[in-house]
Amino acid sequence: MNPNHRIIDTLTHIADSYRSQGVPYKYKAYRTAIDAIRSLGTQITDVSQISSLPGIGKAMVDKVREILATGALQQEKDVMSDPITQAIQTFTSIHGIGPVLAKKLVHENALRTIDDLEASSHLLPPQARLGLKYAKDTALRVPYDEIEDHLTYLKKVVAKLVDPMLQICVCGSHRRGGATSGDIDVLITHPSSSSDSGSEYVFLHVIVGVLRDVGYIIDVLAEGTSKFMGYSRLNPSLPVRRLDMRWMPYDVFFPALLYFTGSDMFNITMRVEALRRGYSLNEYGLYEIPGYEHLHHAPAKGAEGPPAGAAKGKRVFVDSEKAIFDLVGMTYVQPPQRSK
Ligand code: DCP
Ligand code: MG
């Protein structure tokens, strides 16, 4: 356990409340500070240990000082005991309910609990009604070992009923070593597939069909050629879980693996580093931005990369996650260190 887990947990509760209220800049500020504290490695006994860390401003230092002095943070107690904040957080955790709808349901319709929502489900759009159907189950975190059981099951069924060469891995917080995860993020590829041909995009559809037939996938939120979102269950004695599956052709597997492993904040950091080196990085690949001299040495501190949104150039083929770190000039970071 991280030596500063009390500080991390406290700040995480506040960050989550900002996210559910739809205040992304505050959420990001807290997440940046949390990541800096998490990677410190030593126990904080005095705020001087963090006051010069990047991403930690005076307000955050004051909060940590209060936690060190009193063992808690009044702001966290307020957030955790406020029924309106808690209701908004519960509602936004349901697939299909965003901050705007959650606030409306709480303030205008005076709803507070999942039972209230069930009694007023006519107020919800169809996606949210489906989300509500499984809300009590999906509020439960998925233990690490259960996700491993899902992976074993998926590999067995897909190898037997679709194609034994298909490669399946679990990404997201599970690959970062999280003891529990919010959902199950599955990435699938086939060694003979390529984004040039496109024909392999039929695979995901076939896989979803098979998994529905065997009763593993029990409901679908959205299904496309490269992305599936829905609900699955290993057996009736276990809760229903949120399942995200992505299909990626083999030549873009590693950028997809990196993206889908996250965390979301780590992806942002890495994208910024890529831009400084003249690359644009996303889940589909690493692209040389045209008109930019590709650096093979670190740019001067504070140097700006090309503007975000610059036209995409040639895609660079990479055969590992490490190759991407090398190209963007970062030391390789193991998944558990990409923040849990
Ligand atoms: N992702 C991202 N930006 C987003 C959403 C997702 O970069 N806005 C990437 C990074 C995430 C990964 O996709 O790690 C999976 O998304 P999840 O929402 O499932 O996040 P995690 O798996 O990290 O956490 P959880 O345990 O809550 O599922
Ligand atoms: Mg996840």
Side-chain angles (χ1 to χ4, degrees):
M1 191 180 284
N2 191 293
N4 300 305
H5 70 94
R6 182 193 282 278
I7 297 172
I8 291 169
D9 291 350
T10 302
L11 297 180
T12 301
H13 286 147
I14 298 173
D16 288 347
S17 81
Y18 280 124
R19 180 165 57 170
S20 61
Q21 312 261 348
V23 195
Y25 74 96
K26 289 242 183 193
Y27 170 68
K28 278 188 191 151
Y30 274 85
R31 282 290 306 268
T32 305
I34 292 163
D35 286 348
I37 291 170
R38 183 182 283 119
S39 29
L40 199 60
T42 52
Q43 186 168 1
I44 302 168
T45 52
D46 189 281
V47 288
S48 60
Q49 290 164 265
I50 58 160
S51 51
S52 57
L53 291 179
I56 301 209
K58 185 182 171 309
M60 207 60 74
V61 169
D62 288 344
K63 288 175 207 299
V64 172
R65 184 182 290 113
E66 184 183 329
I67 300 169
L68 291 176
T70 68
L73 186 65
Q74 188 58 43
Q75 187 185 357
E76 187 212 17
K77 289 185 196 161
D78 294 345
V79 161
M80 301 302 276
S81 63
D82 177 23
I84 290 193
T85 310
Q86 288 306 304
I88 292 173
Q89 213 152 322
T90 304
F91 292 176
T92 51
S93 70
I94 296 171
H95 187 91
I97 303 185
V100 174
L101 178 57
K103 283 184 196 166
K104 183 175 170 294
L105 295 166
V106 169
H107 293 297
E108 293 177 26
N109 306 104
L111 308 183
R112 296 287 181 273
T113 63
I114 289 181
D115 289 335
D116 291 347
L117 274 186
E118 279 168 354
S120 300
S121 61
H122 59 279
L123 298 171
L124 301 178
Q127 282 264 312
R129 266 181 238 176
L130 190 53
L132 178 62
K133 186 170 161 192
Y134 301 111
K136 285 183 180 162
D137 273 9
T138 53
L140 305 169
R141 309 272 306 168
V142 200
Y144 188 95
D145 288 348
E146 187 190 317
I147 298 187
E148 289 293 298
D149 292 343
H150 279 256
L151 180 60
T152 306
Y153 176 82
L154 285 168
K155 282 182 173 169
K156 194 180 79 185
V157 171
V158 165
K160 189 167 163 212
L161 300 178
V162 187
D163 185 326
M165 293 298 284
L166 282 163
Q167 293 183 6
I168 303 180
C169 61
V170 178
C171 301
S173 50
H174 181 76
R175 185 159 179 254
R176 303 199 307 277
T180 63
S181 293
D183 64 358
I184 305 173
D185 300 302
V186 174
L187 181 62
I188 306 172
T189 191
H190 192 290
S192 69
S193 64
S194 151
S195 48
D196 295 334
S197 112
S199 58
E200 293 82 1
Y201 277 87
V202 73
F203 263 125
L204 187 61
H205 186 64
V206 175
I207 292 167
V208 169
V210 163
L211 293 173
R212 290 187 83 160
D213 289 347
V214 296
Y216 172 78
I217 287 177
I218 57 171
D219 244 319
V220 178
L221 285 164
E223 189 187 351
T225 49
S226 65
K227 193 170 169 181
F228 164 89
M229 293 164 77
Y231 296 94
S232 72
R233 177 156 62 185
L234 261 188
N235 68 59
S237 67
L238 287 168
V240 172
R241 305 302 194 182
R242 269 279 296 111
L243 174 70
D244 271 9
M245 292 199 296
R246 308 275 174 115
W247 161 265
M248 278 290 166
Y250 197 64
D251 55 329
V252 288
F253 174 74
F254 291 100
L257 179 68
L258 179 70
Y259 168 84
F260 214 23
T261 299
S263 68
D264 51 355
M265 296 298 286
F266 185 81
N267 287 347
I268 292 171
T269 307
M270 205 157 168
R271 248 177 267 145
V272 169
E273 284 303 312
L275 272 175
R276 291 178 72 220
R277 295 260 177 163
Y279 294 102
S280 95
L281 175 65
N282 63 27
E283 60 191 292
Y284 304 105
L286 183 72
Y287 302 84
E288 286 180 356
I289 297 175
Y292 188 87
E293 188 190 341
H294 289 89
L295 297 173
H296 298 291
H297 55 83
K301 216 173 162 47
E304 298 258 322
K312 280 197 173 46
K314 198 175 80 187
R315 198 175 72 219
V316 186
F317 175 76
V318 284
D319 60 1
S320 67
E321 281 186 312
K322 185 168 179 306
I324 305 172
F325 282 86
D326 287 346
L327 281 162
V328 307
M330 285 172 70
T331 310
Y332 180 72
V333 181
Q334 296 282 354
Q337 271 71 52
R338 299 179 202 167
S339 85
K340 283 186 190 167

